[in-house]
Amino acid sequence: MKECHIALAFEGVSWTSELALPLMVLQTILGTWDRSSGNTNSQLAQDLASTESAESFMTFNTNYKDTGLFGIYFVAPPSTLPQAIQIILHNFHRCCTNITAEEVERAKNQMKINLLLQVDNYSNICEDIGRQMLTHGKWIPSAEFVKKIDLITPEDIRLVSHLLFNDKDHAMVGIGPVEKLPSYDYIRDQSSKVNLKK
């Protein structure tokens, strides 16, 4: 294995948390990217692409009954692994303080498109109803989700980012030539340096 495969995660929220939708918007803002696709539609993707410090990344937001995991999986060459980590942490911190209204609106629009595409046939509708019954105890129409998404503001994203990343423990795993992977303590120290703008 020539490249490093790294997953970095922070404690997320449950399906029923009021922070679940803002976290979904945050995940969409951070996005996914692969060098072969050339699609750099997020600031994180632009930063990693311009420095050639990673080959790809995918953010994830996994919700469970009483907690969740929010993080990023990425692939990077060993020589640029420290730089990739630094860029990722910088973008996590940026979401706590400098997220723009344009980024939030673009993510909200993408989420609404994805939501409507997920219920385009009977099979998907049945799966959606079953999932919602298991997680919420009732079916919530797409129109209601769209209204809730529309209410999310940049301040909501800054707040949820702050709660997620600022001075928080994390979990990290890596495979491949990871000798240059920054230590747990280094990443933990970096997370304590986020300052939330009032």
Side-chain angles (χ1 to χ4, degrees):
M1 182 176 291
K2 294 181 180 179
E3 295 172 327
C4 308
H5 296 252
I6 310 294
L8 172 65
F10 294 82
E11 185 176 5
V13 299
S14 71
W15 272 113
T16 55
S17 169
E18 62 185 20
L19 301 176
L21 272 177
L23 269 184
M24 290 178 194
V25 174
L26 176 60
Q27 179 189 11
T28 306
I29 288 169
L30 292 168
T32 62
W33 170 76
D34 189 299
R35 182 171 303 286
S36 63
S37 72
N39 182 9
T40 55
N41 59 354
S42 75
Q43 186 63 52
L44 176 55
Q46 291 170 25
D47 293 347
L48 289 171
S50 66
T51 58
E52 299 184 357
S53 54
E55 295 300 318
S56 63
F57 77 86
M58 177 187 72
T59 52
F60 57 86
N61 179 31
T62 306
N63 305 103
Y64 302 106
K65 183 177 180 179
D66 57 356
T67 189
L69 281 175
F70 186 98
I72 186 167
Y73 163 76
F74 67 98
V75 178
S79 61
T80 59
L81 183 55
Q83 183 180 23
I85 287 279
Q86 196 61 45
I87 289 169
I88 289 165
L89 293 175
H90 169 76
N91 274 272
F92 285 176
H93 297 173
R94 188 184 67 79
C95 291
C96 297
T97 57
N98 297 320
I99 201 75
T100 67
E102 180 185 347
E103 288 176 289
V104 174
E105 284 306 310
R106 185 172 54 240
K108 287 163 53 175
N109 289 337
Q110 185 63 51
M111 277 185 64
K112 289 185 281 187
I113 290 168
N114 292 343
L115 177 67
L116 297 175
L117 289 175
Q118 287 175 359
V119 290
D120 64 346
N121 63 50
Y122 290 122
S123 176
N124 289 348
I125 291 170
C126 290
E127 184 180 333
D128 183 56
I129 291 171
R131 186 183 316 107
Q132 290 187 42
M133 291 299 293
L134 289 172
T135 56
H136 299 287
K138 64 178 182 176
W139 178 64
I140 303 171
S142 297
E144 189 174 331
F145 270 119
V146 167
K147 286 179 185 176
K148 289 180 178 184
I149 291 168
D150 282 335
L151 293 174
I152 295 171
T153 66
E155 185 57 33
D156 294 328
I157 302 304
R158 285 190 285 270
L159 177 62
V160 76
S161 298
H162 187 72
L163 293 172
L164 190 70
F165 302 129
N166 187 31
D167 203 18
K168 301 296 182 189
D169 290 323
H170 64 278
M172 182 172 59
V173 65
I175 59 171
V178 295
E179 291 80 12
K180 293 186 179 179
L181 180 64
S183 70
Y184 178 93
D185 291 335
Y186 172 82
I187 293 173
R188 182 66 175 82
D189 182 58
Q190 293 301 302
S191 78
S192 68
K193 295 180 178 176
V194 182
N195 293 314
L196 183 65
K197 287 185 178 177
K198 302 294 183 191

